[in-house]
């Protein structure tokens, strides 16, 4: 999923979590991503030591496809070990203990080149703060949404996502020649959606964001399975924030509005 969303990304390692981070400056039109895994859900043994007790974290940059390819070889493995090593250059070494037909074990090792990120740059890689949304709504089935957006991409480079408190969401394209809108109804709203916005906002009034259609399609193409929870938060004319939960993995994805 990450490999489809970001060519290179930052891996943040802390005692209890792993994060995959993409921090293109959203203010400059780039997308942002914050993916979180609880380490105890994935590892039976986990040891790490950061710079100090106060800053007990490690940040490295890597090519996500390299890690994805290494992990694919481990699908039928007996065990998998990941460690940070220094082999003439810093690596994330993935050792896969393969099951073989005979009782002898076979270990396949992948050395993935990484770049260690110095502490002075960590401040740009923190969990993004989400502005108060005007409308928060559950997304329709992502597969359906993707097929709609794929067809719309042939008409325009831009797409408007709009939603209201009546649980309606529209995907809209407007050009000089044509206007196309796909409507989704009765999607439901997250229970924690801000009460204050409910009180002051007309339920039928749409909050909208005009975005680059390719960025939305890249996000939808990255979703291999339908998540257990998928929420869309819209900050009117500013940003759309997707919040997805895939069993043990949570993913936040930010697409800024086009000016």
């Amino acid at each position: 999923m990450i490999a489809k969303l970001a060519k290179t990304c930052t891996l943040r390692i802390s005692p209890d979590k792993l994060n995959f981070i993409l921090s293109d400056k959203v203010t400059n039109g780039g997308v942002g991503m914050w993916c979180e895994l609880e380490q105890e859900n994935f590892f039976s043994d986990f040891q790490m030591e950061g710079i100090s007790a106060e800053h007990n974290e490690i940040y490295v940059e890597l090519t996500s496809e390299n890690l994805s390819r290494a992990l694919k070889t481990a699908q039928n493995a007996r065990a998998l070990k990941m460690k940070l090593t220094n082999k003439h250059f810093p690596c994330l070494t993935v050792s896969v203990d393969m099951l073989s037909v005979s009782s002898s074990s076979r270990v396949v090792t992948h050395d993935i080149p990484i770049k260690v990120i110095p502490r002075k740059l960590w401040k740009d890689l923190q969990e993004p703060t989400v502005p108060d949304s005007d409308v928060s709504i559950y997304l329709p089935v992502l597969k359906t949404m993707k097929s709609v957006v794929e067809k719309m991409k042939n008409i325009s480079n831009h797409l408007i996502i709009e939603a209201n408190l009546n649980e309606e969401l529209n995907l809209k394209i407007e050009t000089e020649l044509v206007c196309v809108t796909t409507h989704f109804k009765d999607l439901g709203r997250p229970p924690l959606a801000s009460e204050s916005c409910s009180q002051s906002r007309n339920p039928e009034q749409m909050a909208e964001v005009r975005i680059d259609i390719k960025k939305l399609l890249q996000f939808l193409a990255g979703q291999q399975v339908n998540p257990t929870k998928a929420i869309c938060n819209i900050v009117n004319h500013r940003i759309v924030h997707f919040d997805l939960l895939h069993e043990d993995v949570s993913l936040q994805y930010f697409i800024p509005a086009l000016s």
Side-chain angles (χ1 to χ4, degrees):
M1 180 170 75
I2 300 295
K4 280 188 161 57
L5 293 176
K7 194 175 175 186
T8 59
C9 68
T10 300
L11 170 61
R12 171 185 176 263
I13 303 163
S14 67
D16 55 346
K17 288 184 174 73
L18 295 182
N19 295 99
F20 291 98
I21 307 162
L22 179 62
S23 171
D24 287 352
K25 287 278 181 281
V26 170
T27 46
N28 299 338
V31 297
M33 175 186 77
W34 180 270
C35 181
E36 190 161 286
L37 295 73
E38 300 276 347
Q39 67 82 1
E40 63 183 19
N41 294 335
F42 293 88
F43 300 99
S44 55
D45 184 30
F46 188 89
Q47 296 166 20
M48 64 81 61
E49 197 175 314
I51 290 179
S52 63
E54 188 188 351
H55 303 285
N56 195 15
E57 298 169 311
I58 300 167
Y59 288 76
V60 299
E61 189 180 278
L62 50 81
T63 302
S64 35
E65 183 57 42
N66 289 348
L67 179 56
S68 172
R69 212 177 287 132
L71 294 175
K72 272 178 189 161
T73 64
Q75 285 176 334
N76 298 314
R78 185 185 304 166
L80 176 141
K81 186 189 284 184
M82 296 168 70
K83 54 188 175 183
L84 291 171
T85 56
N86 197 354
K87 301 187 176 183
H88 306 299
F89 51 85
C91 289
L92 179 64
T93 296
V94 178
S95 299
V96 184
D97 188 354
M98 304 296 283
L99 292 164
S100 61
V101 181
S102 64
S103 55
S104 62
S105 72
R106 183 166 59 95
V107 177
V108 178
T109 302
H110 303 266
D111 291 324
I112 300 164
I114 57 171
K115 192 165 89 184
V116 178
I117 299 174
R119 215 190 100 208
K120 63 183 179 193
L121 301 178
W122 291 7
K123 63 181 186 304
D124 298 327
L125 297 163
Q126 299 310 303
E127 182 169 3
T129 51
V130 185
D132 287 340
S133 54
D134 293 290
V135 171
S136 185
I137 191 167
Y138 285 117
L139 283 168
V141 175
L142 297 187
K143 213 172 175 181
T144 308
M145 197 169 159
K146 179 176 168 242
S147 65
V148 168
V149 176
E150 271 175 341
K151 292 182 181 76
M152 288 179 155
K153 149 178 138 287
N154 301 323
I155 306 169
S156 173
N157 296 326
H158 310 134
L159 173 135
I160 294 167
I161 297 185
E162 57 178 22
N164 63 18
L165 299 176
N166 277 350
E167 303 175 6
E168 299 167 325
L169 181 135
N170 300 330
L171 302 176
K172 200 158 79 172
I173 275 188
E174 293 173 341
T175 70
E176 289 174 9
L177 298 173
V178 68
C179 177
V180 180
T181 308
T182 302
H183 304 273
F184 297 94
K185 295 188 172 180
D186 303 322
L187 293 173
R189 289 174 56 227
L192 296 174
S194 155
E195 294 301 321
S196 57
C197 83
S198 312
Q199 289 162 6
S200 59
R201 193 173 179 86
N202 175 351
E204 291 180 12
Q205 185 188 353
M206 289 286 179
E208 67 169 56
V209 178
R210 183 169 163 269
I211 57 172
D212 182 332
I213 200 163
K214 287 192 189 120
K215 288 175 180 170
L216 176 61
L217 208 49
Q218 186 177 17
F219 164 71
L220 293 170
Q223 308 312 312
Q224 308 300 296
V225 289
N226 212 45
T228 40
K229 183 191 80 169
I231 295 171
C232 171
N233 299 307
I234 296 176
V235 183
N236 207 22
H237 301 299
R238 278 180 59 200
I239 198 165
V240 58
H241 164 234
F242 298 104
D243 188 3
L244 271 55
L245 188 66
H246 288 271
E247 293 180 354
D248 295 327
V249 180
S250 74
L251 173 76
Q252 295 183 67
Y253 199 78
F254 302 80
I255 306 177
L258 293 166
S259 53

